[in-house]
Amino acid sequence: MPIYREAQLQEISRQFQIYGEILHAETCKIGHINETYSATYDQGGTRVRYIHQKINRSVFKNPAGVMENVMRVTAHLRQKLQALQVRDITRRCLTIVPTREGQSFYCDSAGECWRTFVFIEGVQTFESVQSPRQAFEAGKAFGFFQNLLVDLPGGRLADTIPHFHHTRKRFQALQQAVSKDHSNRALSAKAEIDFALRHEPIVDVLLNALAGKKIPERITHNDTKFNNVMLDTVTGEAMCVVDLDTVMPGCVLYDFGDMVRTTTSPTLEDELDLAKVRVQMAMFKKLAEGFLSTAAAFLTKAEKAHIAFAGKLITFTIGLRFLTDHLAGDTYFRIHRPDHNLDRCRTQFKLVESIEHQEEAMQSFVDKLDRRAA
Ligand code: GN1
Ligand code: MG
């Protein structure tokens, strides 16, 4: 876990347009990539919180591009929400607090990039889904997010991580990691490597559909983990979608797929008891209903026809990435115990199997929903 250094954070906090004194700050143990802190300030006698976040420079090579995307996307979302006369806009859309120079982020003397968000109060996130209602809310929230971004003006967004969900490239990276076997772990991960290689036939399905323009490129979130949806603590309504670093041109199916991966199993991403890891049909149904309630209007037939497959493919792809990182010596995803990435990979592959068993039923449920709505 990153170590919070109070003096350093005080120095960072002074760079942003925040009034008042910082009282204390805590590390937020969320996400595998960036370092996140919540800081409490005294502002005219009231306590106000902000989020300070250090962008992981080895993952995001172009922080200016990331922040440019985030600014464009949040400005557009805010405008859309205003036009819809929605209340509580700063709880429904991330707000960047600019630096004293008016920039969207600050680079310190060590070359580290920091940004600040308004803290959203009265919401919570969950690492695993607690109820079908939550699954519905997550699906609805990401569908709504995509829907509002369909008409984002300006040029194409920056590719903040090129080829992010490119399963063929992820597959090749695994093959390379196996042949290098940098940390001498290939033998003990043989079952997982075999599983990955056996699944090569699914690797190119969506890539081919995208290349052949059967499925369109859209603006997508690309990290639609369940813990990236903030739910109102009182009403349970999904308020805000967070973690916008990978919002870029992509495929909506990957977004839906990552929701299936993180919103349908009762377990955590690193569950050790694989017997518990499975797609719960009740959760999938609510997730799909929620997603289609806000996304059906813009989805094409070809997109809808691949919904269940997308869940399998993205879960497989993330499993490949965990396995690759395990073999390469855990350089990408932050780990908290030995073999953590291998454990994460195992749950992903177990979930792939669970989807394989239910894929037809999942897809036919979506087809039926779609027919009913037509
Ligand atoms: C990373 O750290 P977090 O939760 O935002 C990763 C996602 C993976 C996810 C797996 C930029 O997301 O792609 O799906 O871990 N983000 C990046 O839990 O690589
Ligand atoms: Mg993320």
Side-chain angles (χ1 to χ4, degrees), residues 76-91:
H76 187 69
L77 291 176
R78 204 169 306 118
Q79 216 177 55
K80 285 287 192 96
L81 292 173
Q82 270 160 3
L84 291 169
Q85 299 193 320
V86 170
R87 288 167 55 95
D88 267 0
I89 289 184
T90 53
R91 293 182 70 228

Side-chain angles (χ1 to χ4, degrees), residues 30-148:
I30 193 169
H32 304 322
I33 307 289
N34 293 322
E35 272 179 42
T36 310
Y37 303 91
S38 71
T40 306
Y41 290 75
D42 179 284
Q43 239 171 43
T46 299
R47 290 185 173 212
V48 178
R49 292 198 277 179
Y50 290 89
I51 291 285
H52 298 301
Q53 196 172 47
K54 184 166 105 180
I55 303 176
N56 184 325
R57 290 294 307 272
S58 56
V59 169
F60 296 102
K61 313 266 190 236
N62 174 14
V66 168
M67 292 312 292
E68 166 92 27
N69 281 3
V70 171
M71 296 305 284
R72 283 180 58 193
V73 163
T74 53
H76 187 69
L77 291 176
R78 204 169 306 118
Q79 216 177 55
K80 285 287 192 96
L81 292 173
Q82 270 160 3
L84 291 169
Q85 299 193 320
V86 170
R87 288 167 55 95
D88 267 0
I89 289 184
T90 53
R91 293 182 70 228
R92 293 181 189 270
C93 173
L94 285 178
T95 310
I96 292 276
V97 178
T99 67
R100 299 209 178 267
E101 271 80 49
Q103 303 299 313
S104 59
F105 66 108
Y106 165 72
C107 276
D108 66 17
S109 50
E112 300 290 3
C113 297
W114 292 83
R115 63 193 167 183
T116 296
F117 297 100
V118 167
F119 189 101
I120 302 180
E121 299 287 352
V123 291
Q124 51 191 150
T125 57
F126 295 83
E127 293 297 315
S128 63
V129 69
Q130 311 293 308
S131 65
R133 160 93 200 284
Q134 285 190 345
F136 180 90
E137 287 294 322
K140 189 182 89 182
F142 281 118
F144 187 53
F145 179 84
Q146 290 169 345
N147 200 336
L148 295 185

Side-chain angles (χ1 to χ4, degrees), residues 30-34 59-60 161 164-165 170 222-223 225 227-228 243 245-246 258 261-262 269 318 321-322 332-334 344:
I30 193 169
H32 304 322
I33 307 289
N34 293 322
V59 169
F60 296 102
I161 303 181
F164 190 51
H165 287 311
R170 298 295 188 183
N222 294 302
D223 192 4
K225 272 168 96 161
N227 68 4
N228 279 332
D243 195 358
D245 298 334
T246 49
D258 210 30
R261 178 179 85 80
T262 56
E269 189 177 64
I318 308 293
R321 292 173 58 198
F322 285 139
Y332 188 91
F333 297 104
R334 195 155 45 227
R344 290 170 177 151

Side-chain angles (χ1 to χ4, degrees), residues 313-360:
L313 183 76
I314 210 74
T315 307
F316 175 67
T317 310
I318 308 293
L320 287 180
R321 292 173 58 198
F322 285 139
L323 183 55
T324 305
D325 199 34
H326 173 71
L327 296 173
D330 307 309
T331 60
Y332 188 91
F333 297 104
R334 195 155 45 227
I335 57 162
H336 306 288
R337 59 178 192 241
D339 291 344
H340 205 166
N341 277 317
L342 183 62
D343 294 339
R344 290 170 177 151
C345 160
R346 287 187 173 136
T347 60
Q348 304 314 296
F349 288 173
K350 179 67 203 300
L351 209 52
V352 169
E353 281 178 347
S354 174
I355 299 174
E356 281 170 346
H357 293 137
Q358 306 179 71
E359 196 174 335
E360 258 182 60

